[in-house]
Amino acid sequence: MATLTIPIDDELYDKIQALSWVKWSKVAQDGIQKRKILEVYIRDKSISEEDAEFCEMIDWHPADELPIKEEVIERILRSDKNTAVPVKDISDIFK
C-alpha cells in the first residue's frame, strides 16, 4: 500500500493531536473516495454498485454536494407558509 504525506500548519496539527482517537488515515481515505465518487457522478450521473455501498455505509450521496436547483428554491419560496396548525397541548397533535 502506498503512503501519502501532506504538510499541515502547526495549529491544525495541534487540533489533530488533541483528537488522538480519530483514525486520520481513514478520514483521508474516505474523503478521497467521496471526491472520486462525486467527480464520476457529476460526469456520468450515476454511481457503481460498489460506490453506492460505500455511500450507504457513510450515509452520504454525491447529490448532497450539488447546489440546489433554482426551480426548487422558487417552489419552496412560493409554498404556503400558513399551513401550520396551532398546538396548545401535546394531545392536539394526535387528534
Side-chain angles (χ1 to χ4, degrees), residues 55-73:
C55 291
E56 183 68 26
M57 181 182 68
I58 65 168
D59 191 25
W60 174 82
H61 191 278
D64 298 342
E65 305 297 324
L66 300 177
I68 300 173
K69 294 181 178 179
E70 281 298 318
E71 59 263 21
V72 173
I73 294 171

Side-chain angles (χ1 to χ4, degrees), residues 6 13 17 19-20 24 29 35 40 64 69 81 84 95:
I6 58 170
Y13 181 78
Q17 290 300 101
L19 301 171
S20 60
W24 293 107
Q29 289 170 358
R35 180 61 187 224
V40 170
D64 298 342
K69 294 181 178 179
K81 304 283 191 264
K95 288 183 180 179

Side-chain angles (χ1 to χ4, degrees), residues 32-93:
I32 292 167
Q33 181 72 9
K34 283 173 62 173
R35 180 61 187 224
K36 181 187 96 41
I37 293 169
L38 177 61
E39 289 176 359
V40 170
Y41 182 76
I42 289 171
R43 186 184 63 235
D44 301 341
K45 300 292 186 239
S46 66
I47 58 176
S48 70
E49 188 67 32
E50 181 182 322
D51 289 345
E53 289 176 17
F54 172 81
C55 291
E56 183 68 26
M57 181 182 68
I58 65 168
D59 191 25
W60 174 82
H61 191 278
D64 298 342
E65 305 297 324
L66 300 177
I68 300 173
K69 294 181 178 179
E70 281 298 318
E71 59 263 21
V72 173
I73 294 171
E74 290 171 8
R75 190 172 64 217
I76 291 170
L77 292 174
R78 284 194 314 265
S79 68
D80 185 10
K81 304 283 191 264
N82 298 322
T83 57
V85 177
V87 176
K88 294 181 180 173
D89 187 84
I90 192 78
S91 62
D92 293 343
I93 297 172

